[in-house]
């Protein structure tokens, strides 16, 4: 069979790695020398980046332009009031200035009410600046008094501040306007008889103002473009990383889930043959697979936090019920290492915190897992104490090796592993638990995580949590559920995974039927003589089919059936809303124990 030379997974990983590497510029295999930066050359963009750049600039300068129009209209009105009060302004001049103030006000209202006001910024900025120059020129021509020129041409300076100080127009348009304004006003002065020597100081000053304004505007746009380019590079790198993780999850989650299924089936087979020679190997393999699943899930958790896909769902969480669940989960692991796990539940209110139950469980679980792995002997204590009326402080204490002062800032970094973890063959992991715990705590409102430790005297990880007024009870997990005789319908596009899950559930005593698509589901249902007790399906299938299609097909034939969605992908909020009420979500890869628990819970909640 021919092996493809390039795969989407390889392409994504290659793009990610290449984007993170520094490569000196070469030409014909020879390192190029340093190329000096050309003066007054705006960093070029491609057409799409240029469009996005100006869209961003227009959005940012919208409020500035509104403010400028408001101040401009107010100033013209103030000048009219002052000149009328002094009696030094003719009616024609009053009408002209009122017209400009009214025009600026209309432009301001247009920007304020228009839904896509950003697209009007360039035209309105040009019109506003042109009106100001025309007004100054008309004042000179109407008055025809050369002595007024020295007072009127200074009015161009605020216009230059307006045009050069913001990125309303392109650099070329700004420079053209500045030169035309510098020409228009002295030309108007010349037409009314201002002597050339009297015009020269204003021309020289305006020329200097244009030069400085152009340099300032050039630096402003260059800086903005460089920042935009760097942000675009970071976004592209993030997109490459996201694509890499998406391909990674697609290529690894399915075989990992299949491994978990086969391992669970192997464990069940050895229960009928206690003391078999290969049982210890199967146990070690199962532990290694579970650790691999946990490490993989933590990598995805961190990636989802960084990309904003793991959005907290805040609600009241019963802290006692959560701690009791975690105690049941980690007690066997602690006992295996000869440690005593103590969990002190709260005996007085408050009993509930305002948090995301799933993320909070992962945070505390990672802290517990870390404490167990870094404690050779002794105890681990979990307790939640009241700080004040609005906060609880949860302590995860241990009698372990402690943390050296110089490592306090290192333990929360990804892939950091302490010395004991490197020399203890019974301790596995990639050093991701604490990294996720800190990032997740930072993502949750009013949550914080701190550590206090002394070398060889244990550690105390303190998680501060906001108190909730209304408690929320958490049902205890089902332990060693009996699934014998249950009819399970499984839908997944991966045929190898279907075989593995069929093997696993059959060993548990389930009746299993499988399908890979909507069409296969419909055909299989036609042969059934019994309604399925549970539907297990991936969310995304081939040919753009989703779990919604499978659930609708099942409901059309059998009515409402409890559903467990087993998927590696993050499901959008709008898709979750459309799912039936008797639907539970579980992420791949899931261990046999977790899968059994969730299956039993789905069927019991129906």
């Amino acid at each position: 069979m021919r092996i493809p030379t390039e795969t989407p997974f390889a392409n994504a990983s290659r793009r990610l790695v290449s984007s993170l590497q520094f490569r000196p510029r070469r030409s014909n295999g020879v390192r190029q020398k340093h190329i000096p930066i050309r003066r007054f050359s705006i960093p070029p963009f491609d057409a799409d980046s240029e469009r996005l750049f100006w869209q961003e600039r227009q959005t940012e300068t919208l409020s500035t332009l509104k403010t400028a129009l408001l101040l401009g209209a107010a100033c013209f009105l103030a000048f009219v009031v002052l000149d009328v009060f002094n009696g030094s302004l003719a009616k024609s001049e009053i009408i002209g200035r009122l017209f400009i103030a009214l025009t600026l006000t209309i432009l301001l209202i247009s920007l304020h009410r228009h839904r896509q006001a950003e697209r009007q910024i360039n035209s309105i900025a040009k019109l506003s600046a042109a009106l100001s120059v025309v007004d100054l020129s008309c004042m000179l021509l109407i008055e025809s008094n050369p002595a007024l020129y020295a007072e009127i041409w200074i009015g161009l300076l605020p216009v230059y501040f307006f045009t050069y100080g913001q990125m309303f127009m392109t650099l070329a348009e700004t420079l053209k306007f500045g030169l035309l304004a510098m020409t228009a006003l002295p030309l108007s002065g010349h037409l009314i008889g201002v002597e050339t020597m009297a015009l020269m100081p204003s021309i020289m000053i305006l020329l200097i103002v244009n030069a400085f304004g152009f340099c300032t505007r050039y630096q402003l746009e260059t800086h903005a473009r460089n920042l935009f380019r760097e942000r675009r590079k970071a976004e592209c790198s993030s997109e490459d990383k996201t694509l890499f993780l998406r391909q990674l999850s697609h290529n690894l989650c399915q075989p990992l889930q299949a491994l978990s299924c086969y391992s669970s089936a192997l464990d069940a087979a050895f229960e009928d043959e206690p003391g078999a020679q290969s049982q210890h190997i199967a146990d070690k393999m199962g532990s290694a697979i579970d650790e691999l699943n946990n490490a993989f899930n933590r990598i995805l958790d961190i990636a989802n936090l960084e990309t904003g896909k793991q959005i907290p769902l805040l609600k009241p969480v019963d802290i006692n019920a959560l701690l009791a669940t975690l105690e049941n989960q980690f007690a066997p692991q602690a006992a295996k290492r000869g440690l005593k796990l103590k969990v002190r539940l709260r005996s007085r209110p408050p009993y509930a915190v305002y948090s995301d139950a799933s993320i909070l469980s992962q945070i505390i679980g990672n802290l517990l897992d870390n404490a167990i792995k870094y404690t050779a002997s002794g105890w681990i204590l979990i307790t939640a104490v009241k700080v004040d009326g609005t906060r609880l402080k949860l302590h995860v204490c241990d009698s372990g090796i402690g943390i050296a002062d110089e490592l306090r800032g290192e333990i929360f970094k990804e892939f950091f592993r302490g010395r004991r973890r490197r020399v203890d063959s019974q301790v596995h992991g990639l050093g991701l638990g604490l990294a996720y715990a800190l990032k997740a705590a930072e993502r949750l409102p009013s949550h914080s995580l701190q550590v206090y430790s002394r070398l060889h005297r244990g550690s105390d990880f303190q998680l501060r949590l906001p108190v909730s007024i209304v408690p929320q009870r958490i049902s205890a997990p089902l332990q060693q559920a009996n699934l014998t005789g249950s009819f399970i319908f499984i839908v997944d596009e991966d045929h190898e995974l279907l075989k593995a899950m069929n093997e696993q559930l059959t060993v548990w005593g389930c009746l299993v039927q499988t399908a890979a698509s909507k069409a296969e589901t419909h055909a299989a249902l036609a042969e059934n003589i019994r309604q399925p007790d549970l539907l297990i399906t991936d969310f995304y299938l081939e040919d753009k089919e989703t779990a919604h299609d499978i659930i609708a097909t099942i409901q059309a034939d059998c009515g409402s059936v409890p559903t467990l969605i087993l998927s590696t992908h993050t499901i959008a909020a709008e898709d979750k809303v459309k799912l039936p009420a008797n639907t539970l979500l579980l992420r791949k890869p899931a261990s046999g124990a977790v899968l059994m628990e969730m299956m039993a819970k789905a069927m019991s909640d129906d």
Side-chain angles (χ1 to χ4, degrees):
M1 180 178 68
R2 179 177 177 269
I3 299 176
T5 57
E6 187 83 271
T7 66
F9 176 76
N11 185 38
S13 59
R14 175 177 53 78
R15 290 176 60 195
L16 176 63
V17 173
S18 62
S19 67
L20 299 178
Q21 290 179 337
F22 171 77
R23 297 181 177 179
R25 299 179 60 185
R26 295 175 180 269
S27 177
N28 299 325
V30 180
R31 187 189 299 269
Q32 289 186 349
K33 296 181 179 180
H34 173 70
I35 300 177
I37 300 176
R38 292 181 298 170
R39 298 299 179 188
F40 302 110
S41 59
I42 295 296
F45 288 149
D46 57 82
D48 185 56
S49 297
E50 188 75 21
R51 176 182 58 81
L52 293 176
F53 173 77
W54 281 107
Q55 282 183 356
E56 185 178 281
R57 299 283 78 73
Q58 289 165 355
T59 301
E60 291 180 353
T61 54
L62 179 60
S63 60
T64 304
L65 181 56
K66 288 181 179 180
T67 303
L69 291 174
L70 179 62
L71 291 176
C75 288
F76 274 105
L77 288 175
F79 288 147
V80 170
V81 172
L82 289 174
D83 288 336
V84 170
F85 181 78
N86 294 329
S88 60
L89 198 65
K91 292 183 179 180
S92 59
E93 295 175 341
I94 294 176
I95 294 174
R97 294 190 180 184
L98 286 176
F99 172 76
I100 294 178
L102 180 62
T103 303
L104 294 178
T105 303
I106 293 173
L107 293 176
L108 173 62
I109 295 173
S110 175
L111 279 179
H112 185 70
R113 293 186 175 182
H114 201 280
R115 292 183 178 180
Q116 296 180 336
E118 294 86 353
R119 298 182 179 181
Q120 297 181 310
I121 284 182
N122 186 276
S123 300
I124 291 180
K126 291 179 182 178
L127 181 58
S128 303
L131 281 173
S132 301
V133 176
V134 169
D135 178 67
L136 294 174
S137 299
C138 290
M139 287 175 59
L140 276 176
L141 295 175
I142 293 173
E143 293 289 338
S144 297
N145 184 359
L148 293 177
Y149 177 78
E151 300 178 4
I152 292 178
W153 75 265
I154 299 179
L156 277 181
L157 298 182
V159 180
Y160 282 131
F161 295 151
F162 172 76
T163 54
Y164 283 118
Q166 295 290 332
M167 295 178 65
F168 299 122
M169 301 176 282
T170 65
L171 182 61
E173 291 173 336
T174 304
L175 181 61
K176 289 177 183 178
F177 173 81
L179 295 177
L180 288 174
M182 185 188 74
T183 304
L185 207 60
L187 181 61
S188 300
H190 177 72
L191 292 177
I192 64 174
V194 180
E195 296 181 356
T196 303
M197 293 303 297
L199 291 175
M200 288 305 296
S202 63
I203 294 175
M204 295 299 296
I205 293 175
L206 292 177
L207 185 62
I208 294 173
V209 169
N210 272 282
F212 277 98
F214 173 79
C215 293
T216 301
R217 176 66 167 73
Y218 163 78
Q219 293 292 339
L220 178 65
E221 183 166 344
T222 301
H223 181 67
R225 284 176 173 267
N226 288 333
L227 288 178
F228 180 80
R229 173 183 282 117
E230 293 303 317
R231 189 172 69 255
R232 288 278 289 176
K233 286 181 179 179
E235 290 172 354
C236 290
S237 177
S238 178
E239 291 174 0
D240 287 339
K241 179 179 178 180
T242 302
L243 177 60
F244 173 78
L245 290 173
R246 187 181 299 120
Q247 295 293 343
L248 177 71
S249 63
H250 182 270
N251 285 270
L252 291 184
C253 276
Q254 301 290 72
L256 282 176
Q257 185 63 61
L259 275 175
S260 295
C261 293
Y262 285 130
S263 175
S264 180
L266 191 60
D267 290 339
F270 276 118
E271 289 180 0
D272 299 331
E273 302 179 15
Q277 295 182 353
S278 302
Q279 184 173 3
H280 70 285
I281 299 178
D283 292 340
K284 289 184 178 181
M285 183 181 70
S287 299
I289 292 173
D290 289 342
E291 184 65 33
L292 182 59
N293 288 344
N294 292 333
F296 184 75
N297 285 331
R298 285 168 184 167
I299 292 175
L300 291 182
D301 286 337
I302 292 175
N304 289 334
L305 281 174
E306 292 177 344
T307 57
K309 290 184 177 180
Q310 189 171 10
I311 302 175
L313 179 61
L314 300 175
K315 60 182 181 179
V317 179
D318 189 325
I319 192 65
N320 281 348
L322 180 61
L323 293 181
T325 301
L326 291 170
E327 181 181 17
N328 292 335
Q329 179 182 347
F330 285 92
Q333 182 180 343
K336 187 176 180 180
R337 289 183 61 84
L339 303 175
K340 185 175 182 180
L341 177 60
K342 305 176 184 178
V343 178
R344 293 180 180 172
L345 303 181
R346 289 194 57 77
S347 59
R348 60 182 64 184
Y351 299 108
V353 296
Y354 193 65
S355 183
D356 182 297
S358 176
I359 297 178
L360 181 59
S361 177
Q362 292 180 68
I363 293 174
I364 303 174
N366 284 328
L367 296 178
L368 266 173
D369 181 72
N370 180 79
I372 293 173
K373 290 177 177 178
Y374 279 97
T375 304
S377 62
W379 49 266
I380 296 170
L381 172 65
I382 308 175
T383 183
V385 299
K386 181 179 177 180
V387 178
D388 51 43
T390 60
R391 290 179 300 169
L392 285 181
K393 183 166 61 174
L394 187 139
H395 295 263
V396 179
C397 308
D398 62 67
S399 59
I401 61 175
I403 305 169
D405 293 340
E406 63 272 14
L407 297 180
R408 295 274 179 88
E410 303 292 325
I411 60 172
F412 292 106
K413 293 183 178 179
E414 298 172 9
F415 304 107
F416 176 82
R417 302 175 80 245
R419 182 178 180 277
R420 177 171 176 78
R421 293 279 297 279
R422 296 193 296 268
V423 300
D424 191 342
S425 60
Q426 296 183 356
V427 176
H428 307 283
L430 297 177
L432 294 169
L434 292 183
Y436 172 80
L438 180 62
K439 290 185 178 181
E442 292 173 347
R443 285 276 295 172
L444 294 172
S446 303
H447 289 57
S448 63
L449 177 62
Q450 295 177 322
V451 59
Y452 297 91
S453 179
R454 295 181 64 183
L455 193 60
H456 306 303
R457 295 192 179 183
S459 302
D460 178 12
F461 286 85
Q462 300 181 6
L463 179 63
R464 294 179 181 267
L465 308 169
V467 169
S468 175
I469 300 176
V470 182
Q472 178 73 25
R473 295 292 174 185
I474 301 177
S475 57
L478 299 174
Q479 298 294 324
Q480 297 182 349
N482 185 7
L483 303 178
T484 303
S486 301
F487 180 25
I488 313 299
F489 199 107
I490 309 175
V491 182
D492 198 291
E493 64 180 2
D494 191 316
H495 292 279
E496 184 61 34
L497 179 58
L498 288 177
K499 293 179 183 179
M501 293 193 69
N502 190 359
E503 183 91 15
Q504 180 184 25
L505 299 187
T506 301
V507 170
W508 289 350
C510 300
L511 303 175
V512 182
Q513 192 169 31
T514 61
S517 64
K518 178 181 176 181
E520 291 186 15
T521 300
H522 186 75
L525 290 173
E527 302 176 358
N528 285 350
I529 60 175
R530 172 184 166 187
Q531 174 178 322
D533 297 311
L534 177 67
L535 168 65
I536 301 178
T537 178
D538 199 344
F539 189 83
Y540 296 101
L541 303 171
E542 292 183 345
D543 299 326
K544 297 183 179 180
E545 294 179 353
T546 66
H548 296 303
D549 302 311
I550 304 301
I551 293 173
T553 302
I554 295 286
Q555 287 182 342
D557 187 88
C558 307
S560 179
V561 174
T563 303
L564 176 61
I565 295 181
L566 183 62
S567 180
T568 184
H569 299 287
T570 302
I571 303 175
E574 55 269 21
D575 287 324
K576 290 182 180 179
V577 173
K578 299 177 184 178
L579 294 173
N582 58 346
T583 303
L584 297 181
L585 304 178
L586 180 62
R587 188 176 62 185
K588 294 178 184 174
S591 65
V594 174
L595 179 61
M596 177 183 288
E597 176 184 330
M598 293 297 290
M599 289 174 59
K601 186 176 188 304
M603 290 187 285
S604 65
D605 289 347
D606 181 47

